[in-house]
Amino acid sequence: MAGIKDVAAEAGVSVATVSRALNGHPSVSPAARARVLAAVAALGYRPNAVARSLRTDQTRTLGLVISDVLNPYFTALARAVEEEARALGYSVIIGNADEQPELQDHHVRTLLDRRIDGLLLSPTDPGSPLIPDAVRAGTPIVFVDRWVPGVKVPVVRADGRGAVADLVAHLLRLGHRRLAIIAGPAATTTGSERVDAFRAALREHGVALPDAYIGQGDFQAESGRRAAERFLDLPEPPDAVFAADNLMALGALDAIRARGLSVPGDIALAAFDDIPWFVHTDPPITAIAQPTEELGRAAVRALVERIDGRTPDSVTLPARLVVRRSCGAPGPAGDPRPHPQTPPHPHPHTTVRRSNP
C-alpha cells in the first residue's frame, strides 16, 4: 500500500507539502496541489485517519445514540443524521439503546472512548451520570427528540402539543367522548410531555381523563397490546385510543383485532409518530407526524457548531396531524391516501422557534 512518502516522490514535492495539500492549507500552490492529488489518485493512497486525528485532535466522527433502531421514526432520524454529517465531512457511529438504560450508557462510554468529536443523544435514561459528566468534561453534545432536564446543551426536537390538541378536537368532532391514551415511559421527556398535552387538550374541551384511561407503555409494541387489552376489559371501554408512539399503536391494533373488533367501527385509534406504512393498514391510521428529516439535519448542524466552539440555539419544530380513517374520518371507500384535516392554522404551541439552551 502506498504511503505519504510515495505520494511525495510521485508528485515531486516534500512530505510536508503533501500533508498541507491534503488538509487544504492555503500555502500550497494550485499547481502543487494538482500534482499531489494526481499522485494520490495514481497510487491509490488513503490517508491514515488515526494518525491525522492524533495531529489535529479531531477524528471527523460523530456519535449517535438512538433509543430504538427498530422504531421507524428513529431509523429515519438516523438516516437524516448520517446524510447531513456526510455532507459536512463527518462519519457517524450509531449505537442502539433499545430503550434500555444500561445499553445507553454502554454506547455513550464506548463512543467517548473512541474519541468522537461530538455526540448526538436521544436519552433513554435521563438519570445517567455519564451525560452530565461528559458535558462537564467539555464533550460537545446535542440532544435530539428527547432531552435531560437541567443539562444545559442544545435540544433539537418537535413540539407536538398543537398537533395533539388538533387530534383531540378531531376525535370530539367525530363524536368520541371516552378518550384514552397509551403513554410512554414517564421518565422520558417525550413520554410525560405527550400525556400532559393530551390531558390539557381534553381539559380545554371540558373532558376528563380518568386514571383508568391512561395505559402505561414503554414505546414497544407489546406494551401497546397489553394496555389496549386492559382498556377493552373495562366495564366502560374507551371509544378512542391515542397511542403515544407508532409501535404501541401497532400493538394496540393487534389487541383490538384479536377481540374481533373493528377500527374505527368499534373503537378509534390514532398514533404519535407517523410511519410510511400507516397509509397501507386497513383502515389507514390517523397519526401525528414529526419533521424527522429536518430534525436530524438540524441536530447535526447544531453539533458541528458546538464542535467549532460556538453556542447554537435549541431548535423546536412543529409536528402536524395527518387525518386518515382510523378514527372514523369520512373519505372515499377504500381510499388509503391521507385525507387532509382542516386547513393548517397557526397554533400557539407549534411555532418554529429557536432559543438558548
Side-chain angles (χ1 to χ4, degrees):
M1 181 180 294
I4 192 169
K5 292 182 179 179
D6 301 310
V7 173
E10 178 76 13
V13 299
S14 68
V15 169
T17 297
V18 173
S19 178
R20 286 194 293 268
L22 294 179
N23 285 289
H25 198 283
S27 66
V28 181
S29 70
R33 180 174 288 105
R35 292 201 305 275
V36 169
L37 295 179
V40 167
L43 298 174
Y45 171 69
R46 296 182 63 187
N48 187 323
V50 174
R52 184 171 62 236
S53 72
L54 293 174
R55 293 193 303 272
T56 65
D57 201 32
Q58 282 195 331
T59 61
R60 304 299 293 180
T61 303
L62 308 179
L64 169 65
V65 179
I66 55 177
S67 305
D68 183 3
V69 74
L70 293 180
N71 186 320
Y73 166 75
F74 285 111
T75 305
L77 183 72
R79 179 178 179 178
V81 164
E82 196 278 332
E83 288 179 347
E84 185 69 13
R86 186 171 65 247
L88 296 176
Y90 287 84
S91 298
V92 180
I93 301 175
I94 300 175
N96 171 35
D98 202 25
E99 300 292 359
Q100 299 180 43
E102 64 275 11
L103 273 180
Q104 170 192 282
D105 283 359
H106 165 76
H107 289 304
V108 169
R109 190 178 295 110
T110 300
L111 289 168
L112 295 177
D113 288 345
R114 292 192 178 190
R115 301 180 66 251
I116 56 169
D117 294 338
L119 177 64
L120 292 172
L121 178 63
S122 176
T124 294
D125 178 18
S128 169
L130 277 181
I131 300 171
D133 285 351
V135 173
R136 283 191 291 269
T139 302
I141 294 178
V142 169
F143 293 136
V144 58
D145 184 67
R146 307 176 187 178
W147 63 99
V148 178
V151 177
K152 302 298 184 182
V153 303
V155 180
V156 177
R157 68 183 187 95
D159 187 342
R161 289 176 293 175
V164 171
D166 289 341
L167 171 63
V168 168
H170 172 65
L171 291 170
L172 294 174
R173 276 197 302 271
L174 293 171
H176 303 298
R177 291 295 177 268
R178 300 189 305 276
L179 277 58
I181 183 171
I182 303 174
T188 64
T189 48
T190 48
S192 59
E193 185 180 70
R194 291 169 193 175
V195 174
D196 291 344
F198 190 68
R199 192 193 308 274
L202 288 172
R203 188 183 304 119
E204 287 184 6
H205 293 274
V207 178
L209 180 62
D211 289 343
Y213 284 177
I214 303 175
Q216 188 57 59
D218 59 7
F219 291 137
Q220 303 285 320
E222 178 59 23
S223 70
R225 184 187 62 79
R226 290 195 303 268
E229 287 178 341
R230 188 177 68 77
F231 289 152
L232 295 174
D233 287 336
L234 292 173
E236 192 173 37
D239 51 26
V241 172
F242 170 45
D245 94 321
N246 48 52
L247 294 183
M248 295 193 300
L250 293 175
L253 182 61
D254 285 344
I256 292 166
R257 286 177 171 168
R259 298 288 182 98
L261 302 174
S262 70
V263 173
D266 295 302
I267 187 168
L269 179 65
F272 203 105
D273 283 341
D274 198 14
I275 51 179
W277 58 79
F278 273 175
V279 300
H280 302 297
T281 58
D282 185 18
I285 295 177
T286 291
I288 291 172
Q290 300 197 71
T292 312
E293 181 173 343
E294 292 89 336
L295 290 172
R297 294 184 181 279
V300 172
R301 291 193 295 268
L303 183 58
V304 171
E305 286 190 51
R306 293 280 286 186
I307 293 168
D308 290 343
R310 290 172 284 169
T311 306
D313 293 335
S314 289
V315 178
T316 303
L317 301 175
R320 64 186 178 90
L321 177 65
V322 180
V323 173
R324 300 190 179 103
R325 291 188 286 108
S326 65
C327 299
D335 181 2
R337 295 173 300 175
H339 296 287
Q341 194 206 5
T342 53
H345 60 279
H347 191 285
H349 298 306
T350 59
T351 52
V352 180
R353 64 182 185 272
R354 294 175 178 268
S355 58
N356 288 322

